[in-house]
Amino acid sequence: MSQQKVLVLVGDAAEELDAMYPIYRIREAGYDAVVAALTTREVQLVIHDFDPNSDAYTEKDGRKLPVDIAFKDVDPTEYVGLVIPGGRAPEYIRLDDDVRRITEYFFEKDLPVGTICHGPQVPAVYGLLKGRKTAAFPPLHGDMRNAGAEIVDAPDVVDGNMVSCRGWPDMPEWSRAFMNVLEHAAVPA
């Protein structure tokens, strides 16, 4: 049996810890974490931090992340799970028709979907969070409620196939919960 694959949707300005932590955790568990973006050029990650002298988070450039596949070339049937990291990337990748196609596939097939920080913006815009419980970066709570979701302020919100968290400080709890959902999901035929 070949190594099972988990798709990670990123773009420029994806938050570094939101992207890198799950990629390494997925690989550590023996899965192939496949990074997808608008094109196959490497993307510029960003580092978000919290400064008591700022009303918002701060941002600086982080590492560059190699990309394995473009969204348009993704066949979602080849993957057993999906991760959508936060940062600013979800704001614009959600506009891509292939991101919609990919995301809707995972929800329709009830496959594991992990969202981190701003990541829930992607399924929210497609109406996929209606009636679902989700965590999200706190300034997004109104957007999530407007999408029909119930906000849960916790580091590891599990609602069926979906695991969400508020941001990178929640990564240990989110990773345990996501890996549990991933490992207990049915293997696709």
Side-chain angles (χ1 to χ4, degrees):
M1 185 171 154
S2 64
Q3 189 177 32
Q4 292 182 320
K5 299 189 291 187
V6 177
L7 189 64
V8 182
L9 302 181
V10 299
D12 286 318
E15 208 289 325
E16 185 172 287
L17 284 172
D18 289 2
M20 298 304 294
Y21 195 115
I23 289 169
Y24 286 131
R25 180 63 189 94
I26 289 163
R27 289 176 180 163
E28 177 187 45
Y31 295 86
D32 183 9
V34 178
V35 177
L38 288 167
T39 68
T40 56
R41 71 161 174 76
E42 61 186 10
V43 295
Q44 176 65 60
L45 300 176
V46 296
I47 298 169
H48 287 160
D49 210 345
F50 304 98
D51 180 343
N53 298 316
S54 174
D55 292 332
Y57 55 84
T58 61
E59 180 177 286
K60 60 183 174 184
D61 281 349
R63 289 174 175 77
K64 300 263 188 182
L65 179 64
V67 173
D68 301 307
I69 190 169
F71 297 144
K72 67 181 177 61
D73 296 323
V74 169
D75 176 357
T77 66
E78 296 179 4
Y79 300 88
V80 298
L82 175 68
V83 174
I84 307 171
R88 289 184 293 110
E91 293 175 18
Y92 70 88
I93 68 169
R94 65 187 173 165
L95 303 176
D96 185 84
D97 290 338
D98 290 302
V99 169
R100 182 179 193 137
R101 171 183 60 83
I102 293 162
T103 305
E104 287 177 340
Y105 172 84
F106 282 91
F107 277 86
E108 287 168 6
K109 299 298 182 184
D110 202 32
L111 293 170
V113 175
T115 62
I116 303 160
C117 196
H118 285 75
Q121 288 179 309
V122 174
V125 78
Y126 309 141
L128 299 172
L129 296 185
K130 196 168 293 196
R132 306 289 302 256
K133 293 179 183 174
T134 190
F137 186 58
L140 299 180
H141 287 185
D143 296 329
M144 295 301 108
R145 281 197 272 308
N146 287 340
E150 176 187 339
I151 295 295
V152 180
D153 185 22
D156 55 353
V157 177
V158 178
D159 183 349
N161 67 313
M162 191 176 77
V163 181
S164 58
C165 71
R166 301 166 294 198
W168 62 259
D170 296 337
M171 292 312 302
E173 296 88 352
W174 178 90
S175 291
R176 279 191 292 275
F178 181 74
M179 295 311 298
N180 185 52
V181 168
L182 184 62
E183 290 167 4
H184 290 94
V187 177

